[in-house]
Amino acid sequence: MRELLVRMMFCEMLGHKVEFGYINAINTTQEPNIKDKRAGYLAVCQLIREKSELMVLLVNSLRRDLESPNFLEVMASLTTIAHLASAELIPVLLPLVEQCLTHPKALVRKKAVMGLHRFHSRDGECLDGTLDKCKKVLCDSDPSVM
């Protein structure tokens, strides 16, 4: 499936319509294999637009991966959130992204900050309750998180 998603992204870059495969990209994000999952999230980021009706189908995968113990799955979902999150998804995903601010891995915390930045750019008032957590992130021990 990964190879087909890569070919689909290439066809889209060439200007061909590949809407028929969007649902397959979303389904690939639910695969247990991390390589397939990351390819699915990459395809979703490249192919599906923020205002697409298919974003509703992606929310369940994002929520499940944000709660995963595997940090690679968490990072893949946070990257997708940083690229595609719309104002409608903020109430659903904000508590899970906030939890990622205290993750032991610095890369996950960095991606969580990127996701919060996306939320703030879509709805400036959504982060009013998280001001203390944002201040703590500014004093993170890893400079890449800031």
Side-chain angles (χ1 to χ4, degrees):
M1 185 54 94
R2 277 183 302 202
E3 180 67 28
L4 296 175
L5 289 177
V6 171
R7 289 176 190 241
M8 192 170 62
M9 287 186 286
F10 183 67
C11 289
E12 177 89 8
M13 286 190 289
L14 292 176
H16 300 287
K17 301 290 184 192
V18 292
E19 287 93 9
F20 60 87
Y22 289 1
I23 194 72
N24 291 326
I26 292 173
N27 288 338
T28 306
T29 62
Q30 299 172 1
E31 292 290 324
N33 183 356
I34 188 66
K35 290 181 182 179
D36 292 337
K37 186 179 290 278
R38 289 181 72 182
Y41 277 127
L42 175 64
V44 164
C45 286
Q46 296 298 316
L47 301 173
I48 297 177
R49 303 294 170 245
E50 175 184 340
K51 301 291 184 187
S52 175
E53 297 161 352
L54 295 173
M55 287 299 293
V56 176
L57 300 173
L58 188 63
V59 171
N60 190 35
S61 292
L62 291 171
R63 289 180 55 89
R64 186 175 351 103
D65 288 338
L66 284 173
E67 295 171 341
S68 172
N70 186 350
F71 79 96
L72 295 173
E73 292 177 2
V74 175
M75 283 179 36
S77 62
L78 285 170
T79 302
T80 303
I81 289 170
H83 286 288
L84 290 179
S86 61
E88 295 83 27
L89 299 179
I90 292 174
V92 177
L93 298 174
L94 182 61
L96 296 171
V97 175
E98 284 179 6
Q99 289 176 358
C100 292
L101 289 175
T102 58
H103 197 276
K105 298 276 186 185
L107 287 173
V108 174
R109 294 192 306 268
K110 177 182 175 182
K111 300 282 184 183
V113 169
M114 292 170 55
L116 290 176
H117 181 264
R118 175 71 176 209
F119 290 163
H120 180 68
S121 67
R122 295 298 172 247
D123 180 15
E125 298 174 357
C126 70
L127 298 179
D128 289 343
T130 62
L131 189 59
D132 292 335
K133 292 181 182 179
C134 293
K135 287 180 181 178
K136 288 181 183 178
V137 170
L138 288 175
C139 300
D140 197 274
S141 60
D142 192 331
S144 70
V145 176
M146 296 184 273

